[in-house]
Amino acid sequence: MMRRQRRREQHVRQTYNDTAARYEQTDEGLLEPETPTERTHKTQQKAIVEATSANAAANAWRKALPKGPYGINVARTGRHAVCYGAGGRVEVLDLHRNVRTAEVRCGEVCRAATFLHDETMVAVAQRKYVYVYDQDGAEVHRMAKHLEPEHLSYLPFHFLLASAGHAGWLKYNDVSTGQFVAEHNTKAGAPRSLAQNPQTAVLCLGHGNGVCSLWSPAQSKPL
C-alpha cells in the first residue's frame, strides 16, 4: 500500500515538473542574424511586422511626436507608457488601445519621467525641479529639493522616488507621505544613467568616468 502511494506521488510530481517545464518562459526575445555579416540594428520595424503573426502585427502602430527628441518609460504592467521630450511635452499612452490618456505641456525641457504606484501619477524631471502630475495633467506636487534632476527611478515596494541630479546628488523622496528621505553625494559629477535592481531595490548609477556605483537610501556611501 505504501509502495503504491509512493509511486503515485512520484508520478504526480513528474507530471507537474514536465508541465511546468513546457510552459516556463525562460528565453528572451531577440533577433538572430542569418549571416555573420548581418547587423540586427539595421532591421526596420516594417520587416519585423511582416515576419510576425497576424495577431502580433495588429498591435504595431506609429505615432508622430513633434519637438523631439523623446524618451519613453513603460509601466510595470506593460500596458501604459509615458513619453517625454525636450520640447516640454509629456504624454501617457495606453499601448493596448493605442490611445493617449493624458498630456502635459510643461513649457520647459523634460529630462526624465516615470510612473509612480500606477499610471494615474507621473513624476517628471524638468529643468529645475521634479513635478508630479495626475491623470488629468494637473500638477499635484513639486519636489523643490530635487534640484536639476536628470534621471528618475521609482521603487514600487518602498514608495520611494529617486532622482539623480546634474550636481551628482542622488536623492530619495517618500511619495506616500511626501517626506524627503535621504540624499547622497556621489562625488562623480553628473550621472549618465540610472537603473534599479527590481529584486533588491538597489540603484545603479553610471558615471562619465566609466564607473558604475550601487546605492541604497540607508547608506551614504556606495555599496
Side-chain angles (χ1 to χ4, degrees):
M1 187 68 180
M2 295 294 296
R3 189 178 304 170
R4 184 183 306 172
Q5 183 177 359
R6 193 178 301 111
R7 286 200 302 264
R8 187 182 300 111
E9 292 177 354
Q10 292 177 355
H11 176 71
V12 172
R13 189 180 299 108
Q14 184 64 33
T15 303
Y16 172 80
N17 294 334
D18 294 342
T19 304
R22 187 181 303 112
Y23 290 101
E24 184 179 6
Q25 301 294 329
T26 57
D27 297 333
E28 298 179 355
L30 51 87
L31 293 176
E32 296 183 358
E34 296 181 354
T35 62
T37 59
E38 184 180 2
R39 297 294 179 263
T40 56
H41 69 272
K42 296 183 178 180
T43 305
Q44 299 182 357
Q45 294 291 327
K46 181 180 180 181
I48 297 177
V49 172
E50 293 176 352
T52 56
S53 62
N55 292 334
N59 295 326
W61 53 280
R62 182 176 181 179
K63 182 177 179 60
L65 298 173
K67 296 182 180 181
Y70 278 82
I72 188 170
N73 197 341
V74 182
R76 289 188 302 143
T77 59
R79 173 161 185 170
H80 294 84
V82 54
C83 300
Y84 52 93
R89 186 173 181 176
V90 179
E91 290 189 7
V92 178
L93 306 176
D94 188 332
L95 302 180
H96 287 189
R97 297 185 297 152
N98 300 338
V99 296
R100 181 181 63 199
T101 59
E103 180 182 9
V104 181
R105 297 182 182 269
C106 303
E108 58 184 9
V109 60
C110 297
R111 300 188 180 97
T114 182
F115 291 106
L116 298 184
H117 53 280
D118 57 17
E119 68 278 0
T120 62
M121 303 289 286
V122 179
V124 181
Q126 297 179 206
R127 183 181 60 85
K128 193 174 182 180
Y129 303 121
V130 174
Y131 294 83
V132 179
Y133 300 93
D134 61 7
Q135 69 272 18
D136 298 323
E139 177 187 331
V140 297
H141 191 55
R142 184 188 70 177
M143 300 181 182
K145 290 187 178 181
H146 295 253
L147 296 175
E148 297 182 341
E150 294 192 355
H151 304 281
L152 294 177
S153 183
Y154 179 65
L155 309 179
F157 301 108
H158 302 79
F159 297 99
L160 294 178
L161 176 65
S163 72
H166 181 74
W169 285 83
L170 178 63
K171 302 182 180 183
Y172 293 85
N173 213 97
D174 191 334
V175 299
S176 62
T177 61
Q179 294 181 350
F180 188 75
V181 177
E183 58 179 348
H184 305 321
N185 187 3
T186 62
K187 300 179 182 179
R192 299 294 181 88
S193 61
L194 173 64
Q196 68 165 285
N197 185 336
Q199 297 180 348
T200 61
V202 173
L203 295 182
C204 178
L205 280 174
H207 307 282
N209 57 359
V211 176
C212 293
S213 56
L214 304 178
W215 297 85
S216 72
Q219 298 187 19
S220 60
K221 295 183 179 181
L223 303 177

